[in-house]
Amino acid sequence: MEDEYGTGDVVPIDSQLLGFGGFRFTGRHYDSDTKGSTLAIAETEPILGRPSDELLDGAASVAVLFSPP
């Protein structure tokens, strides 16, 4: 169910500490990738401003490329 819209599988890490707690991931800007037994999941949401959907989708797609070796 990792790629199911709205499952809420991705949880923000330390969002309160960084000063942008209280938001929820929508699942709209999401990507995942597997490398061997490793699953990388990335989800993006705007906190400030109005970045385009293309930018948010692209950021998630790039982020999964940086999974641990």
Side-chain angles (χ1 to χ4, degrees):
M1 295 296 245
E2 297 299 337
D3 286 326
E4 178 82 19
Y5 173 78
T7 59
D9 287 339
V10 178
V11 178
I13 299 173
D14 294 329
S15 60
Q16 296 286 349
L17 179 65
L18 295 173
F20 47 82
F23 76 95
R24 295 184 52 91
F25 284 110
T26 64
R28 291 186 182 114
H29 313 289
Y30 171 96
D31 202 357
S32 65
D33 190 31
T34 57
K35 292 182 180 147
S37 62
T38 301
L39 171 64
I41 301 171
E43 188 169 356
T44 61
E45 291 293 335
I47 295 173
L48 296 172
R50 294 184 181 170
S52 69
D53 287 340
E54 292 81 14
L55 177 68
L56 293 168
D57 291 339
S61 294
V62 169
V64 297
L65 300 176
F66 293 100
S67 61

